[in-house]
Amino acid sequence: MASSEAPKTWLSQDAHDRLQSELDELIAARPAVAAEINARREEGDLRENGGYHAAREEQSRQEGRILYLKEFLRTSEVGEAQTADKVTAGSVVTIYFDDDQSDTETFLLGSREIASTTDLTVYSPESALGTAILGASEGQTVTYTAPSGSDIKVTVVKFGPFGG
């Protein structure tokens, strides 16, 4: 039986604080959104009331984001990812493509939510590349199938914890 526990997402304290602040602002805005819906409802026929439908869509979007952020923050770890001898989620990884050591890319293997805290490109551990390099060590070459269907060979040059 496979474990249902997902890999931990490591967040810097700054990234966690920003996401928590966004969550707090969305929760605080709930009464204003409800008031907007009520105001639009009073304008008349709901079937032809674009303002009412827009307000309801905004409420739905905000509630979805609130649920997502609550779960994301609940399941993430704040601090530095533990150092490891293999690539893990939260690692900054440098790879090169197809035996061409001059064709390198450095990126963060982690959640897209972290993208706003760094200038690095962020790849999800669940992406094709992420899945292929998870557990790889320095110097190891792996092959993965790109969404286009082509096989791509990459070699892990180095990796380390994300500094925030």
Side-chain angles (χ1 to χ4, degrees):
M1 178 180 242
S3 171
S4 63
E5 187 173 319
K8 291 279 187 201
T9 299
W10 291 93
L11 295 174
S12 67
Q13 186 64 54
D14 184 51
H16 180 274
D17 292 348
R18 279 191 276 212
L19 293 173
Q20 184 64 53
S21 176
E22 178 185 352
L23 175 61
D24 294 343
E25 288 173 18
L26 288 170
I27 290 171
R30 279 176 164 164
V33 172
E36 177 72 16
I37 290 171
N38 284 336
R40 298 298 178 195
R41 183 180 294 131
E42 293 174 4
E43 291 177 353
D45 186 358
L46 297 181
R47 290 174 295 176
E48 297 179 12
N49 189 331
Y52 171 78
H53 294 291
R56 289 295 306 246
E57 287 175 15
E58 178 62 17
Q59 179 188 41
S60 177
R61 186 194 66 76
Q62 284 186 350
E63 289 301 319
R65 183 71 176 160
I66 287 170
L67 289 173
Y68 175 80
L69 287 172
K70 281 182 175 179
E71 182 65 12
F72 184 78
L73 291 170
R74 185 185 71 76
T75 59
S76 62
E77 293 284 334
V78 177
E80 295 297 317
Q82 298 174 352
T83 57
D85 57 351
K86 298 191 180 300
V87 174
T88 61
S91 297
V92 175
V93 183
T94 301
I95 59 171
Y96 64 82
F97 295 90
D98 297 321
D99 298 322
D100 181 358
Q101 294 185 18
S102 66
D103 185 12
T104 64
E105 182 176 3
T106 300
F107 56 89
L108 172 63
L109 187 63
S111 167
R112 297 258 183 224
E113 292 296 328
I114 300 172
S116 65
T117 69
T118 180
D119 291 334
L120 291 170
T121 299
V122 178
Y123 289 108
S124 167
E126 291 82 27
S127 68
L129 173 59
T131 301
I133 65 171
L134 269 177
S137 52
E138 286 186 13
Q140 186 174 351
T141 300
V142 296
T143 302
Y144 69 96
T145 303
S148 66
S150 60
D151 286 339
I152 299 174
K153 184 168 72 169
V154 298
T155 301
V156 176
V157 176
K158 65 181 179 176
F159 62 90
F162 176 57

